[in-house]
Amino acid sequence: MLIEGTILGLILGKIRGGKFSNLGDMQINGWTILILALLLQLTPIISEDFPFFAKYQPHIYATSIILTMVCICMNLRKKGMGAFLVGILLNLIVIAFNGFQMPISFSALKLAGLDSMVNAIQSGDMMHFRSLEGAAQGIKMLAKFIPIPKPYPLPKVISIGDIFITLGLILFITGEMKKSKFYVRHRMIKHGYKGRI
């Protein structure tokens, strides 16, 4: 949902009088932590060549979520970060109770036309997912069970946490786009002043 959230945020930000140029001036605390988290999300691509990543893929997935939460906590004053944190926390809770794997409904995947993903999970190629049917009881509502099927161009199955994350991203982008030039310049001047000290 990150692609959709970004696009919707840009559209709504522009409709509400925001400026795309403000995005180039935004300040994100701990952005290196966020980049590391994103890189860890990409490790399944190289897991076949590096057995270590394949063996500990669920733990690496959980670590990437925790690092993302750390970065969000460092930027909680920004609009939308509260919703973003709630979404990440909900996803982290459900994977923590399921062997560091995200439970996902196979029936929802098939409804969304993602049969290949079902096969990949069953064969072990997508190790950070597991079947919802075998997930821990009591928190299945936090798993991925909401299908978004075709004709939607990006069919998928999402969780309640994913909805909060998307909402947070939309609010964050619109908030950054609507910041006044005075606020952006003030932040840049303040940052530069501290840097010289």
Side-chain angles (χ1 to χ4, degrees), residues 113-154:
L114 300 174
D115 298 74
S116 59
M117 188 170 174
V118 173
N119 297 331
I121 296 172
Q122 290 177 329
S123 64
D125 291 335
M126 300 185 72
M127 297 182 64
H128 55 279
F129 286 109
R130 64 179 299 174
S131 170
L132 177 61
E133 286 67 27
Q137 298 294 326
I139 55 173
K140 285 188 175 182
M141 288 297 293
L142 298 181
K144 291 181 181 287
F145 69 94
I146 307 170
I148 304 180
K150 296 178 180 179
Y152 185 71
L154 297 172

Short mmCIF file of all heavy atoms in Angstrom, two decimals, residues 113-154:
data_model
loop_
_atom_site.label_atom_id
_atom_site.label_comp_id
_atom_site.label_asym_id
_atom_site.label_seq_id
_atom_site.Cartn_x
_atom_site.Cartn_y
_atom_site.Cartn_z
N GLY A 113 -6.50 -13.16 -6.92
CA GLY A 113 -5.81 -13.63 -8.11
C GLY A 113 -4.32 -13.84 -7.91
O GLY A 113 -3.55 -13.82 -8.87
N LEU A 114 -3.90 -14.05 -6.67
CA LEU A 114 -2.48 -14.20 -6.35
C LEU A 114 -2.15 -15.65 -5.99
O LEU A 114 -1.49 -15.92 -4.98
CB LEU A 114 -2.11 -13.25 -5.20
CG LEU A 114 -2.33 -11.76 -5.47
CD1 LEU A 114 -2.08 -10.94 -4.22
CD2 LEU A 114 -1.43 -11.28 -6.60
N ASP A 115 -2.58 -16.56 -6.83
CA ASP A 115 -2.30 -17.98 -6.59
C ASP A 115 -0.81 -18.29 -6.56
O ASP A 115 -0.37 -19.18 -5.81
CB ASP A 115 -2.97 -18.83 -7.68
CG ASP A 115 -4.49 -18.67 -7.68
OD1 ASP A 115 -4.97 -17.62 -8.13
OD2 ASP A 115 -5.18 -19.60 -7.23
N SER A 116 -0.03 -17.55 -7.34
CA SER A 116 1.42 -17.77 -7.37
C SER A 116 2.05 -17.47 -6.02
O SER A 116 3.03 -18.10 -5.63
CB SER A 116 2.06 -16.91 -8.46
OG SER A 116 1.81 -15.53 -8.23
N MET A 117 1.49 -16.49 -5.31
CA MET A 117 2.00 -16.16 -3.99
C MET A 117 1.70 -17.26 -2.99
O MET A 117 2.51 -17.56 -2.11
CB MET A 117 1.40 -14.83 -3.51
CG MET A 117 2.00 -14.29 -2.22
SD MET A 117 1.45 -12.61 -1.87
CE MET A 117 2.21 -12.38 -0.24
N VAL A 118 0.54 -17.90 -3.14
CA VAL A 118 0.19 -19.04 -2.28
C VAL A 118 1.21 -20.15 -2.48
O VAL A 118 1.72 -20.72 -1.51
CB VAL A 118 -1.23 -19.56 -2.61
CG1 VAL A 118 -1.51 -20.85 -1.83
CG2 VAL A 118 -2.28 -18.51 -2.29
N ASN A 119 1.54 -20.45 -3.74
CA ASN A 119 2.52 -21.49 -4.04
C ASN A 119 3.90 -21.14 -3.50
O ASN A 119 4.61 -22.02 -2.99
CB ASN A 119 2.60 -21.70 -5.56
CG ASN A 119 1.29 -22.20 -6.15
OD1 ASN A 119 0.53 -22.88 -5.48
ND2 ASN A 119 1.03 -21.86 -7.41
N ALA A 120 4.27 -19.86 -3.58
CA ALA A 120 5.58 -19.42 -3.09
C ALA A 120 5.68 -19.57 -1.58
O ALA A 120 6.71 -19.96 -1.04
CB ALA A 120 5.83 -17.98 -3.50
N ILE A 121 4.60 -19.28 -0.87
CA ILE A 121 4.59 -19.41 0.59
C ILE A 121 4.65 -20.88 0.99
O ILE A 121 5.41 -21.27 1.89
CB ILE A 121 3.34 -18.75 1.19
CG1 ILE A 121 3.36 -17.24 0.94
CG2 ILE A 121 3.26 -19.02 2.70
CD1 ILE A 121 2.07 -16.53 1.32
N GLN A 122 3.89 -21.71 0.30
CA GLN A 122 3.86 -23.14 0.61
C GLN A 122 5.20 -23.81 0.32
O GLN A 122 5.58 -24.76 1.02
CB GLN A 122 2.74 -23.82 -0.18
CG GLN A 122 1.34 -23.44 0.29
CD GLN A 122 0.25 -24.07 -0.55
OE1 GLN A 122 0.43 -24.31 -1.75
NE2 GLN A 122 -0.90 -24.33 0.05
N SER A 123 5.90 -23.32 -0.69
CA SER A 123 7.20 -23.92 -1.05
C SER A 123 8.34 -23.36 -0.21
O SER A 123 9.47 -23.85 -0.30
CB SER A 123 7.49 -23.68 -2.53
OG SER A 123 7.63 -22.29 -2.81
N GLY A 124 8.06 -22.32 0.58
CA GLY A 124 9.10 -21.74 1.43
C GLY A 124 9.88 -20.62 0.79
O GLY A 124 10.85 -20.12 1.36
N ASP A 125 9.47 -20.20 -0.40
CA ASP A 125 10.19 -19.12 -1.09
C ASP A 125 9.89 -17.75 -0.46
O ASP A 125 10.67 -16.82 -0.64
CB ASP A 125 9.80 -19.09 -2.58
CG ASP A 125 10.34 -20.30 -3.33
OD1 ASP A 125 11.35 -20.88 -2.87
OD2 ASP A 125 9.76 -20.66 -4.37
N MET A 126 8.77 -17.64 0.23
CA MET A 126 8.43 -16.40 0.93
C MET A 126 8.33 -16.73 2.42
O MET A 126 7.24 -16.94 2.97
CB MET A 126 7.12 -15.82 0.40
CG MET A 126 7.16 -15.48 -1.07
SD MET A 126 5.66 -14.65 -1.68
CE MET A 126 5.84 -13.04 -0.93
N MET A 127 9.48 -16.75 3.07
CA MET A 127 9.57 -17.28 4.43
C MET A 127 8.99 -16.36 5.50
O MET A 127 8.75 -16.80 6.62
CB MET A 127 11.03 -17.59 4.76
CG MET A 127 11.65 -18.67 3.88
SD MET A 127 13.35 -19.04 4.34
CE MET A 127 13.12 -19.70 5.98
N HIS A 128 8.79 -15.07 5.18
CA HIS A 128 8.25 -14.20 6.22
C HIS A 128 6.71 -14.18 6.21
O HIS A 128 6.11 -13.39 6.93
CB HIS A 128 8.80 -12.77 6.08
CG HIS A 128 8.60 -12.14 4.75
ND1 HIS A 128 9.40 -12.39 3.67
CD2 HIS A 128 7.66 -11.27 4.31
CE1 HIS A 128 8.99 -11.69 2.63
NE2 HIS A 128 7.93 -11.01 2.99
N PHE A 129 6.11 -15.08 5.41
CA PHE A 129 4.65 -15.27 5.44
C PHE A 129 4.32 -16.69 5.88
O PHE A 129 5.11 -17.60 5.69
CB PHE A 129 4.03 -15.00 4.07
CG PHE A 129 3.96 -13.55 3.69
CD1 PHE A 129 4.79 -13.04 2.70
CD2 PHE A 129 3.08 -12.68 4.32
CE1 PHE A 129 4.73 -11.72 2.33
CE2 PHE A 129 3.01 -11.35 3.96
CZ PHE A 129 3.84 -10.87 2.96
N ARG A 130 3.12 -16.85 6.42
CA ARG A 130 2.61 -18.17 6.76
C ARG A 130 1.10 -18.17 6.58
O ARG A 130 0.47 -17.11 6.50
CB ARG A 130 2.95 -18.55 8.19
CG ARG A 130 2.32 -17.67 9.26
CD ARG A 130 2.66 -18.11 10.66
NE ARG A 130 2.20 -19.46 10.92
CZ ARG A 130 2.48 -20.14 12.03
NH1 ARG A 130 3.26 -19.59 12.96
NH2 ARG A 130 2.01 -21.35 12.23
N SER A 131 0.52 -19.35 6.52
CA SER A 131 -0.92 -19.46 6.32
C SER A 131 -1.68 -18.94 7.54
O SER A 131 -1.32 -19.24 8.68
CB SER A 131 -1.30 -20.92 6.05
OG SER A 131 -2.71 -21.08 6.07
N LEU A 132 -2.73 -18.19 7.28
CA LEU A 132 -3.57 -17.68 8.36
C LEU A 132 -4.24 -18.81 9.12
O LEU A 132 -4.48 -18.71 10.33
CB LEU A 132 -4.62 -16.72 7.79
CG LEU A 132 -5.64 -16.15 8.77
CD1 LEU A 132 -4.95 -15.32 9.84
CD2 LEU A 132 -6.68 -15.30 8.02
N GLU A 133 -4.55 -19.89 8.42
CA GLU A 133 -5.25 -21.01 9.03
C GLU A 133 -4.46 -21.62 10.19
O GLU A 133 -5.04 -22.13 11.15
CB GLU A 133 -5.55 -22.08 7.98
CG GLU A 133 -6.68 -21.72 7.02
CD GLU A 133 -6.33 -20.56 6.09
OE1 GLU A 133 -5.13 -20.36 5.81
OE2 GLU A 133 -7.26 -19.86 5.66
N GLY A 134 -3.14 -21.55 10.14
CA GLY A 134 -2.33 -22.13 11.20
C GLY A 134 -1.77 -21.10 12.16
O GLY A 134 -0.87 -21.40 12.94
N ALA A 135 -2.29 -19.88 12.10
CA ALA A 135 -1.77 -18.79 12.93
C ALA A 135 -2.29 -18.88 14.35
O ALA A 135 -3.26 -19.59 14.65
CB ALA A 135 -2.15 -17.45 12.32
N ALA A 136 -1.63 -18.14 15.24
CA ALA A 136 -2.03 -18.11 16.65
C ALA A 136 -3.44 -17.54 16.78
O ALA A 136 -3.81 -16.58 16.10
CB ALA A 136 -1.05 -17.26 17.45
N GLN A 137 -4.23 -18.15 17.64
CA GLN A 137 -5.61 -17.71 17.86
C GLN A 137 -5.64 -16.39 18.64
O GLN A 137 -4.72 -16.05 19.36
CB GLN A 137 -6.38 -18.78 18.63
CG GLN A 137 -6.50 -20.11 17.90
CD GLN A 137 -7.33 -20.02 16.63
OE1 GLN A 137 -8.30 -19.26 16.57
NE2 GLN A 137 -6.96 -20.79 15.62
N GLY A 138 -6.71 -15.66 18.48
CA GLY A 138 -6.91 -14.44 19.26
C GLY A 138 -6.49 -13.17 18.58
O GLY A 138 -7.01 -12.09 18.89
N ILE A 139 -5.51 -13.24 17.65
CA ILE A 139 -5.04 -12.03 16.99
C ILE A 139 -5.08 -12.17 15.46
O ILE A 139 -4.39 -11.44 14.76
CB ILE A 139 -3.61 -11.66 17.44
CG1 ILE A 139 -2.66 -12.84 17.22
CG2 ILE A 139 -3.58 -11.20 18.88
CD1 ILE A 139 -1.22 -12.47 17.50
N LYS A 140 -5.90 -13.10 14.99
CA LYS A 140 -5.99 -13.29 13.55
C LYS A 140 -6.54 -12.06 12.84
O LYS A 140 -6.27 -11.86 11.65
CB LYS A 140 -6.88 -14.51 13.23
CG LYS A 140 -6.20 -15.85 13.51
CD LYS A 140 -7.04 -17.01 13.01
CE LYS A 140 -6.31 -18.33 13.18
NZ LYS A 140 -7.09 -19.47 12.65
N MET A 141 -7.30 -11.24 13.57
CA MET A 141 -7.85 -10.03 12.95
C MET A 141 -6.77 -9.02 12.58
O MET A 141 -7.02 -8.08 11.84
CB MET A 141 -8.86 -9.37 13.90
CG MET A 141 -10.18 -10.14 14.02
SD MET A 141 -11.07 -10.23 12.45
CE MET A 141 -11.49 -8.51 12.20
N LEU A 142 -5.56 -9.22 13.13
CA LEU A 142 -4.46 -8.32 12.80
C LEU A 142 -3.65 -8.83 11.61
O LEU A 142 -2.75 -8.13 11.14
CB LEU A 142 -3.54 -8.14 14.00
CG LEU A 142 -4.16 -7.52 15.26
CD1 LEU A 142 -3.11 -7.39 16.36
CD2 LEU A 142 -4.78 -6.16 14.94
N ALA A 143 -3.96 -10.03 11.15
CA ALA A 143 -3.22 -10.61 10.02
C ALA A 143 -3.71 -10.02 8.70
O ALA A 143 -4.63 -9.20 8.66
CB ALA A 143 -3.40 -12.13 10.02
N LYS A 144 -3.09 -10.45 7.62
CA LYS A 144 -3.51 -10.01 6.28
C LYS A 144 -4.65 -10.90 5.81
O LYS A 144 -4.43 -12.06 5.46
CB LYS A 144 -2.32 -10.08 5.31
CG LYS A 144 -1.22 -9.06 5.60
CD LYS A 144 -0.10 -9.18 4.57
CE LYS A 144 1.03 -8.20 4.84
NZ LYS A 144 0.67 -6.81 4.52
N PHE A 145 -5.86 -10.33 5.79
CA PHE A 145 -7.02 -11.12 5.38
C PHE A 145 -7.99 -10.32 4.51
O PHE A 145 -9.01 -10.84 4.06
CB PHE A 145 -7.77 -11.63 6.62
CG PHE A 145 -8.45 -10.54 7.41
CD1 PHE A 145 -9.78 -10.23 7.18
CD2 PHE A 145 -7.75 -9.82 8.37
CE1 PHE A 145 -10.41 -9.22 7.90
CE2 PHE A 145 -8.36 -8.82 9.09
CZ PHE A 145 -9.70 -8.51 8.87
N ILE A 146 -7.67 -9.05 4.24
CA ILE A 146 -8.55 -8.18 3.46
C ILE A 146 -8.10 -8.17 2.00
O ILE A 146 -7.06 -7.59 1.67
CB ILE A 146 -8.55 -6.75 4.01
CG1 ILE A 146 -8.86 -6.75 5.52
CG2 ILE A 146 -9.54 -5.87 3.25
CD1 ILE A 146 -8.65 -5.42 6.19
N PRO A 147 -8.85 -8.82 1.09
CA PRO A 147 -8.42 -8.88 -0.31
C PRO A 147 -8.79 -7.62 -1.08
O PRO A 147 -9.85 -7.03 -0.86
CB PRO A 147 -9.19 -10.09 -0.84
CG PRO A 147 -10.44 -10.12 -0.03
CD PRO A 147 -10.07 -9.61 1.34
N ILE A 148 -7.90 -7.21 -1.96
CA ILE A 148 -8.18 -6.14 -2.91
C ILE A 148 -7.96 -6.75 -4.30
O ILE A 148 -6.84 -6.75 -4.82
CB ILE A 148 -7.28 -4.91 -2.70
CG1 ILE A 148 -7.40 -4.41 -1.26
CG2 ILE A 148 -7.64 -3.80 -3.68
CD1 ILE A 148 -6.54 -3.21 -0.95
N PRO A 149 -9.00 -7.31 -4.89
CA PRO A 149 -8.86 -8.07 -6.13
C PRO A 149 -8.87 -7.21 -7.40
O PRO A 149 -9.07 -5.98 -7.33
CB PRO A 149 -10.08 -9.00 -6.10
CG PRO A 149 -11.12 -8.18 -5.38
CD PRO A 149 -10.37 -7.36 -4.36
N LYS A 150 -8.64 -7.85 -8.52
CA LYS A 150 -8.79 -7.18 -9.81
C LYS A 150 -10.25 -6.81 -9.99
O LYS A 150 -11.13 -7.45 -9.39
CB LYS A 150 -8.32 -8.11 -10.93
CG LYS A 150 -6.83 -8.45 -10.86
CD LYS A 150 -6.44 -9.41 -11.97
CE LYS A 150 -4.96 -9.74 -11.90
NZ LYS A 150 -4.55 -10.68 -12.95
N PRO A 151 -10.55 -5.74 -10.74
CA PRO A 151 -9.70 -5.02 -11.70
C PRO A 151 -8.76 -3.98 -11.09
O PRO A 151 -8.18 -3.19 -11.83
CB PRO A 151 -10.72 -4.35 -12.61
CG PRO A 151 -11.90 -4.10 -11.71
CD PRO A 151 -11.94 -5.28 -10.78
N TYR A 152 -8.64 -3.94 -9.76
CA TYR A 152 -7.64 -3.04 -9.17
C TYR A 152 -6.28 -3.39 -9.76
O TYR A 152 -5.89 -4.55 -9.80
CB TYR A 152 -7.63 -3.23 -7.66
CG TYR A 152 -6.73 -2.27 -6.92
CD1 TYR A 152 -7.07 -0.93 -6.81
CD2 TYR A 152 -5.53 -2.70 -6.35
CE1 TYR A 152 -6.25 -0.03 -6.14
CE2 TYR A 152 -4.72 -1.81 -5.68
CZ TYR A 152 -5.08 -0.48 -5.58
OH TYR A 152 -4.26 0.40 -4.91
N PRO A 153 -5.52 -2.39 -10.22
CA PRO A 153 -4.27 -2.66 -10.94
C PRO A 153 -3.17 -3.32 -10.11
O PRO A 153 -2.28 -3.96 -10.65
CB PRO A 153 -3.83 -1.27 -11.41
CG PRO A 153 -4.54 -0.31 -10.51
CD PRO A 153 -5.85 -0.96 -10.18
N LEU A 154 -3.25 -3.16 -8.79
CA LEU A 154 -2.25 -3.77 -7.91
C LEU A 154 -2.95 -4.65 -6.88
O LEU A 154 -3.02 -4.30 -5.69
CB LEU A 154 -1.42 -2.69 -7.21
CG LEU A 154 -0.58 -1.77 -8.10
CD1 LEU A 154 0.02 -0.64 -7.30
CD2 LEU A 154 0.52 -2.57 -8.80
#
